[in-house]
Amino acid sequence: MTKAEIATEIAKTTGIDKAAVVTVIEQFMTVVKDSLAHGENVYLRGFGSFIIKQRAQKTARNITKNTTLIVPAHNIPAFKPADVFKNEVAK
């Protein structure tokens, strides 16, 4: 399902203009991205959590040149679904 399809579905069920729904969805995504960029997790009760995971430094290999390189420690965004969410999908 794409962002446009989600917006259409929400507009259909709520009666709100599709353009307004798209604006709200885009603003939601901006707030989540900004929060994660500043190191803040986002918790949506009953849905899930957008969290930051820390990846440790590791050594990688370039097989074609037979060399090694260091991949520095870094943060990555992740989504952890709530139990209610997982149970609903598992049905």
Side-chain angles (χ1 to χ4, degrees):
M1 187 171 235
T2 65
K3 181 171 46 171
E5 292 169 337
I6 292 170
T8 301
E9 189 66 29
I10 292 172
K12 196 181 338 174
T13 57
T14 62
I16 300 172
D17 182 45
K18 183 180 175 182
V21 173
V22 169
T23 303
V24 170
I25 292 171
E26 288 177 356
Q27 189 60 35
F28 170 77
M29 292 188 307
T30 300
V31 169
V32 170
K33 285 188 277 187
D34 289 346
S35 295
L36 293 176
H38 289 95
E40 300 173 25
N41 294 334
V42 178
Y43 303 102
L44 301 173
R45 196 172 303 239
F47 185 73
S49 303
F50 295 93
I51 59 175
I52 297 291
K53 287 188 173 184
Q54 288 83 27
R55 296 288 177 177
Q57 177 178 312
K58 64 181 179 180
T59 304
R61 286 182 23 96
N62 183 343
I63 296 172
T64 58
K65 295 181 181 177
N66 198 22
T67 58
T68 60
L69 60 125
I70 303 291
V71 177
H74 58 281
N75 295 331
I76 61 166
F79 177 74
K80 182 178 180 195
D83 289 337
V84 176
F85 185 106
K86 288 190 273 189
N87 294 337
E88 191 69 29
V89 171
K91 286 184 182 179

